[in-house]
């Protein structure tokens, strides 16, 4: 009976959705041949380089892969502290 | 000049050998001249799935090492005179053959046959490289499970890096009743994730076990659902435009049971 119920109303705990979500994540890393550890290293290096030019908030710093349709992108979100702007004004 | 197609998957046990045997027998039944190569050196299996295990004299390694002539090593099928098998060596390993040697051998066989089908071993090491070396096209077999799709993705990446094999996908062992419940990925999910062309969909079918027991590919049985799927795949490989098989869960799901209860069919 539950079967019929599930079919009519749809199930949001359907295990295939879990499978798809897990696959997406694991494939993003596989395809970039970048392990989560390597991604962490990349992030630390980015922080180092960018802070030579800008005063950034490395707590709010986020780097991750994202998918746009077929293509993959590395998306970084880098909050800049106010001070950077002041620096430029004083130039 | 024939066409060489490698049947590959990355993950083991998803149906490469079953697929090679069925497509091979299907193409032969349709009148094509077909040779099957078992490239799984050390774990030979295609011979038993084809029911030809008693006829082996020489094998792939014997031919490559010049110990036997190709025409002496090829085993003629008992059902079709235009179907041949080149068996793998059982007591050697994958390093007994190199990709260059495979390329030469497959090239030679393409002169004689319309289709040369290569049954690839699991994995991405030397055995895979050997199997892929001489092939023009790749067919990737995957089941609707996370690990299988992940490995298929890896294989597709390796094949696409060579820009030569135009991989297409066979989804094997799909279970319509589970798909309906949302407990199994469906074809669209897999195509979307893997982003390659679909060559065919083969249902999970008990008859595959029966046919393997007998050494008679399911494609030769008109009543088998998997056999029907393989017949369609065969026709697509010959260039026909065949619509994808409708997969309903005959008799398995609730609707099927209800139908049965009311004595209705199909
Ligand atoms: N559509 C199907 N329905 C039911 N059983 C199947 C189906 N396809 C394959 N099988 C079964 O799954 C098992 C593995 O199949 P097969 O040997 O073809 O896989 P493989 O990919 O060649 O394995 P390996 O990686 O070890 O070479 C076999 O027992 C086979 O009978
Ligand atoms: Mg096999």
């Amino acid at each position: 009976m539950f079967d019929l119920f599930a079919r009519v109303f749809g199930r949001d705990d359907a295990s295939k959705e879990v499978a798809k979500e897990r696959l997406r994540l694991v494939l993003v890393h596989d395809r970039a041949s970048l392990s989560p550890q390597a991604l962490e290293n990349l992030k630390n290096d980015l922080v180092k380089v960018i802070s030579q030019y800008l005063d950034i908030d490395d707590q709010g710093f986020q780097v991750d892969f994202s998918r746009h349709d077929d293509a993959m992108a590395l998306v970084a979100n880098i909050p800049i502290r106010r001070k950077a702007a002041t620096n430029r004004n004083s130039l | 000049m024939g066409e060489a197609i490698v049947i590959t998957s990355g993950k083991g046990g998803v149906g490469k050998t079953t697929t090679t045997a069925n497509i091979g027998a299907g193409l032969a039944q349709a009148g094509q001249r077909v040779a099957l190569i078992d490239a799984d050196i050390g774990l030979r299996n295609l011979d038993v799935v084809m029911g030809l295990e008693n006829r082996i004299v020489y094998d792939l390694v014997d031919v490559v090492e010049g110990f036997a002539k190709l025409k002496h090593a090829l085993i003629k099928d008992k059902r079709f005179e235009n179907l041949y098998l080149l068996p793998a060596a059982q007591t050697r390993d994958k390093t007994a053959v190199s990709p260059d040697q495979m390329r030469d051998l497959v090239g030679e066989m393409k002169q004689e046959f319309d289709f040369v089908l290569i049954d690839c071993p699991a994995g991405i090491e030397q055995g895979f490289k050997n199997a892929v070396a001489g092939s023009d096209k790749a067919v990737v077999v995957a089941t609707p499970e996370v690990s299988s799709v992940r490995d298929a993705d890896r294989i597709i990446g390796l094949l696409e890096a060579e820009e030569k094999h135009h991989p297409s996908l066979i989804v094997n062992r799909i279970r319509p009743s589970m798909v309906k419940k949302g407990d199994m990925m469906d074809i669209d999910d897999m195509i979307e994730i893997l982003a390659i062309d679909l060559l065919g969909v083969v249902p999970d079918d008990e008859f595959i076990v029966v046919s393997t027991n007998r050494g008679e590919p399911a494609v030769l049985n008109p009543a088998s659902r998997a056999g029907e799927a393989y017949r369609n795949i065969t026709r697509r490989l010959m260039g026909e435009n065949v619509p994808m098989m409708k997969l309903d869960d005959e008799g398995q799901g609730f609707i099927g049971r209800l139908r049965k209860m009311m004595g209705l069919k199909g």
Side-chain angles (χ1 to χ4, degrees):
Chain A
M1 197 57 223
F2 174 73
D3 253 21
L4 177 65
F5 192 80
R7 206 164 298 143
V8 173
F9 297 99
R11 264 168 66 183
D12 39 13
D13 68 331
S15 67
K16 83 152 189 185
E17 295 303 330
V18 183
K20 276 163 65 181
E21 203 39 53
R22 291 176 61 216
L23 256 173
R24 270 200 197 104
L25 216 69
V26 90
L27 289 187
V28 161
H29 289 284
D30 284 3
R31 284 173 185 168
S33 27
L34 209 61
S35 64
Q37 180 57 51
L39 183 63
E40 195 55 35
N41 295 344
L42 169 82
K43 184 179 149 181
N44 292 337
D45 286 350
L46 270 178
V47 170
K48 240 183 274 165
V49 173
I50 294 173
S51 6
Q52 289 173 14
Y53 301 89
L54 293 164
D55 187 11
I56 58 177
D57 167 17
D58 55 3
Q59 290 311 306
F61 192 100
Q62 268 181 358
V63 179
D64 220 331
F65 289 105
S66 84
R67 261 175 79 110
H68 298 286
D69 300 322
D70 246 7
M72 262 198 348
L74 184 70
V75 177
N77 193 342
I78 312 167
I80 299 170
R81 292 213 178 94
R82 260 216 122 84
K83 218 175 111 221
T86 332
N87 281 349
R88 198 182 62 173
N89 284 342
S90 66
L91 274 179
Chain B
M1 189 72 163
E3 184 176 41
I5 306 175
V6 62
I7 321 296
T8 183
S9 70
K11 186 171 156 63
V14 299
K16 295 177 291 297
T17 302
T18 306
T19 297
T20 309
N22 277 285
I23 295 179
L27 286 168
Q29 193 173 40
Q32 304 288 317
R33 289 172 301 158
V34 184
L36 312 178
I37 304 179
D38 188 345
D40 202 345
I41 300 172
L43 290 170
R44 140 164 120 201
N45 260 332
L46 188 53
D47 55 336
V48 289
V49 176
M50 294 295 295
L52 299 174
E53 67 275 15
N54 291 328
R55 306 178 170 206
I56 297 179
V57 182
Y58 300 112
D59 57 50
L60 170 64
V61 176
D62 292 329
V63 174
V64 162
E65 290 182 344
F67 185 68
K69 284 230 167 69
L70 174 61
K71 62 176 177 198
H72 294 144
L74 282 171
I75 304 166
K76 193 160 152 199
D77 185 78
K78 35 189 183 186
R79 294 143 293 209
F80 303 103
E81 58 173 35
N82 48 337
L83 176 60
Y84 290 82
L85 167 70
L86 180 58
Q90 184 68 321
T91 54
R92 304 289 294 272
D93 64 62
K94 269 69 179 173
T95 58
V97 181
S98 74
D100 280 341
Q101 288 170 321
M102 282 299 285
R103 206 171 290 124
D104 291 347
L105 175 69
V106 173
E108 186 186 340
M109 293 173 75
K110 274 162 54 178
Q111 308 286 331
E112 300 281 323
F113 296 97
D114 300 316
F115 287 94
V116 178
L117 304 183
I118 304 155
D119 182 13
C120 182
I124 54 172
E125 284 87 29
Q126 169 124 21
F128 167 72
K129 288 178 185 139
N130 284 342
V132 165
S135 58
D136 308 303
K137 232 193 215 176
V139 169
V140 178
V141 182
T143 58
E145 286 174 83
V146 175
S147 52
S148 173
V149 176
R150 181 191 196 178
D151 290 1
D153 189 78
R154 186 101 165 79
I155 288 289
I156 293 165
L158 292 172
L159 291 168
E160 283 179 345
E162 292 191 35
E163 290 184 355
K164 183 186 136 195
H165 302 283
H166 317 291
S168 60
L169 180 71
I170 291 182
V171 179
N172 189 23
R173 308 200 71 162
I174 201 109
R175 292 171 63 178
S177 60
M178 289 191 73
V179 171
K180 221 171 212 174
K181 273 193 274 180
D183 277 330
M184 182 178 269
M185 282 183 277
D186 63 26
I187 312 305
D188 293 339
D189 297 328
M190 291 179 67
I191 291 296
E192 185 201 319
I193 291 170
L194 291 174
I196 63 170
D197 293 336
L198 182 66
L199 177 63
V201 182
V202 182
D204 194 75
D205 182 354
E206 284 179 6
F207 190 76
I208 292 286
V209 181
V210 176
S211 83
T212 312
N213 288 343
R214 297 207 173 110
E216 286 166 9
V219 72
L220 304 177
N221 184 308
S224 157
R225 296 281 286 162
E228 187 186 343
Y230 280 122
R231 279 191 293 281
N232 289 345
I233 290 169
T234 299
R235 288 166 59 198
R236 286 182 202 118
L237 285 175
M238 293 188 301
E240 266 182 72
N241 200 339
V242 187
M244 286 293 153
M245 200 163 118
K246 272 236 172 60
L247 291 170
D248 42 19
D249 50 343
E250 291 171 310
Q252 287 172 34
F254 176 79
I255 304 290
R257 285 201 299 275
L258 199 70
R259 271 213 192 103
K260 254 188 197 158
M261 261 159 50
M262 302 191 303
L264 295 174
K265 278 227 178 91

